[in-house]
Amino acid sequence: MTVDVGRQSSPGGRGVLARVAPLRRALRTEAGSAGLLLLTTVVALLWVNSPARGSYDAFWHTDLAVRIGEAELALDLQHWVNDGLMVFFFFVVGLEIKRELVMGELTDRRRAAVPALAAVTGLAVPALVYVLFNLGDEAVSAWGVVISTDTAFLLGVLALVGPACPAQLRLFLLTLAIADDVGALTVIALFYTEQLDPVALAVAVVGLAMMVGLRFLRVWRGPAYLVLGLAVWVAMYESGVHPTLAGVVIALFTPAYPARREEVEDAARRTRAYQQSPNPEFARAARLSIDRSVSASERLQQLWQPWTSFVIVPVFALANAGVALTGETLRAALSSPVTIGVVAGLVLGKLAGILLGTGLAMRLRLGQLAPGLTRWQLAGGAALSGIGFTISLFIVDLAFDDERSADEARVGVLAASVLAAFLGWGLFRLADRLRPPGTGGRPVLLDPPVDPARDHVRGPLDAPLTLVEYGDFECPFCGRATGAVEEVRDRFGDRLRYVFRHVPLVDVHPHARLAAEAAEAAAAQVRFWDMHDRMFSAQDRLTAGDLLDHAAAIGLDVQRFARDLGAGRYARRVEEDVESAEASGVEGTPTFFVNGVRHTGPYDADSLAAALLATAGEDAGAPLPVDDALAGGALPALGPRRAGPVSAVDGEPEPVPADLPETADRDGAYPRLSDQQLALLERHGYRRWYEAGETVFREGDPGYDFTVVLSGAVAMVEDHGRAGQRVIAVHGPRRFLGELDLFSAHPVTLTAVVLRPGEVLCVSDDRMREVFAADHSLKELVLRAFLLRRSMLLELAADLRIVGRGGSADSRRLQAFARAHRLAAVFVDLDGSTDGAAMLGELGVSEADLPVVVWREGELLRNPTDAEVAAAIGARG
C-alpha cells in the first residue's frame, strides 16, 4: 500500500476551517479601534501635560444644556460623553451578547455559566486586594476603582496580542466583560450614588416594562424602542444610577430572533409587487416588510457598531485620559498605597479572581468551557481583563474628594492597564513557547477527549492506545490513509481503539459534508463503520443518489436514511466535530492524534505505530484479524413500486381535479425559491407556458430539465393515465419539480401534469452544474429536498407503513413480522420526526393507538397483533 505521507487536503478560502473569516475581519476592526483608542489616549496625555493644559480642562468642562419648556438637562461635555455617548457602546456590546444568548454559542447556558461566575470572582478578588493595601485609611472606600474591565481595550488588545484563532477566548471574555460591566455599574449605583431618586428609578423600570410589552405585542420598528430607550436613559440619569447601565439593560430587552420564513416570503412578495409596479406605496411596504424580517437587535447592532468603535470610544478616551504626570505626582504615586492597591488589584487581583471563578465553576459542574479554550489562553485573557480604563477613571472622580489622591489613583489605572496588557502578551507568548516544536503555534491536544458515548470507536472501548483521525470522505489522502490505519489496527489488535471524526472541506470536496451526514445517519441505524468503509472504497460515488445506493447496499432502512439526510438531522453532529477540529489545531485532512496529542510528520503504518509505542512506552501486542467483511445484500434504492400487477387494465382512471390545493411543505421537501435564486436560474434557463392538462414530463421519459413553477400549479402523478393513478404532490409558484431521478440515467418515474395554466422556468442538466457551482446553498437546498422526496416515495412504494415510537416493543415486533413475511415495509419513527403531531392528525389516530399499520390503499390497523396483520395479508391474497 502506497501512502502519500505528510500530504493533506486543506480548506480553500471559504472552507469549513476558514469559516471564522468573518470573525477575523471583525477582530481586525477591533484591532483598528484599539489602535485609535490608544492614539486618542496618548493625545489626551500630551494635551494635558503640555503648556495648553488649561484649554483641555476648559473644553471638556464646557456646559451644554438641553431645554424643553421649563425642563432642562445641563451637563458639561465630559459628562455628555461619559453618561450619554457611552450608553451606545454598552448597548452594542449588550446586543452582541443578546444575539449569542438567543441564536449563537451562548444558547448553551452551561457555557455562559462559567464566564458569569468568573466575572463575579473577578469583581470581588481585586476589591479585596485593594482593601488589603488601604485598610484603615479613608481611601479604602475607593475599592470600586479596581473592579471594572475596559471592554473596548480588552477586545482590541486581544486582537493585537492574542492567539491566532481566539474565537472561543473572545466569546468567553466578551461574556465576562459584560457581566463585569453590569456588576461594576451596579456597584456604582449602590455604593457611589449619593442620592437615589426612587420615583425616577421607578419610571425607568416602567419604561423597560413597556419595552417588554412592545415585544409581546410584536412591535418591531426601531423608533418605538428608541423613544422608550431615551426615556429610560433620562430616568436612570435622574435617579442617580449611572445611565450607561441603561444601554446593557435595554439591549437585553431588545428582540432578537432568527429570520422567520413567513416574514421573508412576505418581504419577497412585496418586493416583487414593487418591481412589477414601482410606486411610493409599494416601495414603503417592501422596505418595511424587509425591515420586519430582520430582528431589531441585529439591525441596531449593524447600525451602531462602526460608530462606537471609531467615534464614541475614542472620544471617551480623549475626554478622560488627561492625567497630569508631573514629577511630584509620579514620586507620590510610587509610594502611595492607593496607586499600589490599584495596580495590584487590577493586574494581580483580576488574574487570580477570574481563574479562581473559572476553576470553581468547573469543579461545581456549573458549566463547561468552549472547545479549544486552553488554560494558558484563559490566563492570558484573564490578565488582559486587568485593563481597567473606562469605569475605573469614572469611579476615581466619584470616590475621591482629595485631588492628590485622585491623581495617584489615575496613575495607578494607567499603569495597571499597561502592565496588564504586557502580562497578557507575555502569557500568550509563554503558551506558544511551551507548545511542542513543529506545531506552528496551534493547539496540539485533542479537544474534547475521546468520549465512547459520543465518538465512533473501532476496537475495545478501554484499549490502552488511542488513534483519532479527522477525515473527509472525499479527501484522496484520507482514502489512501485507510490502508495504513487498517495495518496499524491489525498490528495492535485489542490494544488499540480507532476513532473517526469529521472535517468535511466543502471548498475542495463538494460532496464531503453530505457524505459526513450520511455516515451519521447510518450510525443512527448502528451501521457507521459499514458506511465509513463503503464511502472510502467509492470516493468517486458520493452524490445524493450514490449515498442512497450505499445505504441500500449495507442494509439500511433507506426511507429513514433519506429522510434523515434530507432533513439535515445530523448536520449539527458534524459541526460539533468541525468545532473540535478547530479547537484541536486541525488544518487539513487527514490529521491524526496519538493518545490525545496531534501527530506531525508521515502517517504511514510504521510512523503511526512508532508514535503509538513512543507515547505508550511499550511493545505492540499480538495482531488480531480485521473486522468481518460487509454483510447484507444490495437492495434497490427505490424499492418495489407495486406489490402486484398494476390494476390499470380494470378501468379508466379518475381525472385529476384541477382545484387540488398545494401540498404543504414537510421538513423542507417543498421549499420556495428566493428572488435571488430565481434570478440566477433564469440567467441559465428559459421560460415556457403550459395549458391545463399538458405534461411537463412523463413517466418513462429518458430525462427532464430542472423545472420551477412560476405561476399556476403542477401535480406530480404516479401511474398517470391508468386506473389507480394517484397524486403525490401539488406544486405552486416558486417551487421546483422532480426528485433524484433528475440526476440519473434511469427513466422518469412520475408524470408532471399541469393543473392550472401557468409559466415554468426550465434549466438543462448541463446548465444546472453552472448554477450549483455559482450558489452552493441552492445546490444543498435542492439536494436535501430531493432526498426528502425520495424518502416519501419510498414510504409510498412500500406494502405497508408502520408508524410508532422507536423505543416501543410493539413497533419492533411489527417490523420483525414484516421482515419475516418478506413485506416491503417502512417504519416511520415519530421520535425522530418534527411533524409527529401533524402525522397523527392526518391518520386520525392518537398516541394510545400506536403503533399503527397503514396499507398502501390507506387502510389502517391500530396496534394490531401479528395474527391480525396476517389475517389482513390473507384477505388481500
Side-chain angles (χ1 to χ4, degrees), residues 51 104 120 263 315 364 410 427 474 494 503 580 643 682 706 750 804:
V120 173
E263 292 179 350
V315 168
L364 296 176
R410 293 188 185 101
L427 288 171
E474 203 173 359
D494 280 347
V503 189
S580 167
E682 189 148 21
F706 182 80
L750 300 175

Side-chain angles (χ1 to χ4, degrees), residues 30 118 148 158 233 292 306 311 326 348 364 464 547 609 633 658 670 676 718 776 873:
E30 287 164 356
S148 177
L158 177 66
W233 178 82
R292 183 170 59 247
V311 178
T326 64
L348 301 179
L364 296 176
L547 295 177
Y670 305 121
Q676 293 82 358
E718 183 184 49
H776 182 78
I873 295 173

Side-chain angles (χ1 to χ4, degrees), residues 77 104 575 698 859 867:
L77 291 180
E575 276 301 309
R698 300 184 62 86
E859 298 176 53

